[in-house]
Amino acid sequence: MIKRILVGTGIFLVVAGAVALGGMLMVDRSGYHFVDPDLALNSPRAADRLKLEASLTKPPEAKVYIVIDRTHNRLELRKGSTTTLSAVCSAGSGYVLKERSTDKRQGRQWIFDTPRGIHHIKNKRTDPAWKRPDWDYIEKGEAIPRNANDRIETGMLGAYAMDLGDGYMIHGTLYERLLGRGVTHGCVRLGKNDLATVFKECPVGTPIYIY
Amino acid sequence: MHTLNIRRTLTLGLAVLVAVALVGVAAAAEKSAGDKPAAAAKSAPAKSAKAKAKPKGKAKEVDPSSVVPPRMFGGAYPANPALKDWLAEAGADSFYLLLDPKARSLQLVLGGVVIRSFECTEVQVATPRRLGGAARLPKDWHERVWTGATLDPPHPGARTQITGPEIGTGTGEVLVPPTPEEAIPVPSMYRIRFAEGLAIEVTGGVAEHKGVLPPTELPKGFKEKIRMLREGAPDPLRVRIKLQPDAYSEIYRALPPGTDLVIVHGG
């Protein structure tokens, strides 16, 4: 009798195990039970729902603002919910530049990222001159000049530049063929025509959303 | 006679299994009834909205009803005191995703401004399967903040490092970096995990397999199943969304790390 019980239980366990294993592998690989979310949402009053949604997002800005996708190197100029310009740009490369250490001091390090977050145009310049920072000399293997005036270079930034603070800018480029690639040291480069449009449309104080 | 014996053996075996199952179900029901007051009494102290919870690599907890969020919206619509705090502190200048399952929309918001909108072709919500059904969906799975998004699988992490050449030895060559498509390959399916135990499973990439499961996927599924049996479900709550291929890739490549999530009842 006991033997029969054991054998019978064993047969059922083997069959049930095989069915369960097959089911797990073939039918439900995720191990999760999915349902339509509509069935699972608690229904608030319509007015309450609208109130919540209104608190989570602002209405689109009535004035012009800029949105930059630094990963895909895209810049959009928007007014309200309308996109008035969609441009290919170049954002930061994400590279890390290391200065060679010497006997006297440890080498410095820079990370070339375009900073995410909310920024504003702080200043606008026509025919901007560029004061080359230390990293530009180090990257090119050149000696860093002692005289600050020796760092000034013209024509590198295109016809216009808009300062975002901390040395970051939106400006033009001599390397338009590289637009669409993250090639900069943190600034945002635009092609000649797009730069002119952005410069014309955006006053000082224009918000810039970078993600 | 022989047939009768087999039948009798199988009947006895079945009877034993049914009896064991009944005892098991009764014991589980009793345990569940006993656990309820304890789970309800649990509450986590409200954290500062600025102090983001660190994303955990592997969630050990399985029972969604026991997951108490650090910042809930207070339960009562429209009071939402925690939501107000969060918006005033972190939400004012941080990134968050806004998922509206009813409207099938996913928005990336920065400081209250919608900077990207994506249309979901499908939204589903899920809890881990258990013996005899699925875990109950917690009532507060929407209208609360889920914090600290991390991608699974993560991006290829290492940054390119350059050491400046010796003075006078620079070649003046411009190093051309790869395009985003070259630099960050997108997997056939990925998850966005949040610190409190919710994961968004994103599907819809062009490489997604349809119909018959390809043989290469079988070992993956088997491995995941074994892991789940050993360690429990990795996420107490999952939301599966399906996106257009472009949006699918874009979110994987460009989602800022640490992004928060709010699921709203829109429509």
Side-chain angles (χ1 to χ4, degrees), chain A residues 47-68:
Chain A
D48 294 342
R49 179 166 59 76
L50 291 175
K51 216 169 179 177
L52 174 68
E53 284 176 15
S55 66
L56 283 167
T57 55
K58 292 178 196 168
E61 302 236 10
K63 291 179 183 170
V64 72
Y65 62 102
I66 297 169
V67 177
I68 297 170

Side-chain angles (χ1 to χ4, degrees), chain A residues 94-97, chain B residues 158-162 175:
Chain A
Y95 287 173
V96 178
L97 174 67
Chain B
R159 284 176 181 267
T160 304
Q161 293 206 355
I162 313 160
L175 189 64

Side-chain angles (χ1 to χ4, degrees), chain A residues 4 12 28 31-35 37 40 42 44 49 52 55-56 58 71 78 94 96 98 100 113 141 181-182 211, chain B residues 5 9-10 83 87 96 112 115-116 123 125-127 129 137 139 141 159-160 162 164 168 177 180 235 240 265:
Chain A
R4 275 188 192 153
F12 273 105
D28 174 32
Y32 281 78
H33 177 65
F34 285 89
V35 293
N42 305 323
R49 179 166 59 76
L52 174 68
S55 66
L56 283 167
K58 292 178 196 168
T71 309
R78 296 187 194 169
V96 178
K98 283 186 170 177
R100 285 175 188 275
D113 276 340
R181 289 175 189 260
Y211 70 101
Chain B
N5 275 345
T9 306
L10 288 176
L83 170 62
L87 281 170
Y96 51 98
I115 50 175
R116 287 292 288 144
V123 182
V125 59
T127 50
R129 278 189 189 280
L137 204 61
K139 275 183 188 170
W141 70 281
R159 284 176 181 267
T160 304
I162 313 160
D235 316 300
R240 181 186 283 167
H265 186 301

Side-chain angles (χ1 to χ4, degrees), chain B residues 43 141 145 170 172 227 239 266:
Chain B
S43 67
W141 70 281
V145 185
R227 192 167 59 89
V239 177

Side-chain angles (χ1 to χ4, degrees), chain A residues 183-202:
Chain A
V183 74
T184 79
H185 302 89
C187 288
V188 177
R189 293 180 189 169
L190 278 173
K192 197 176 167 186
N193 296 335
D194 293 329
L195 181 68
T197 307
V198 172
F199 189 81
K200 188 181 155 201
E201 297 289 326
C202 299

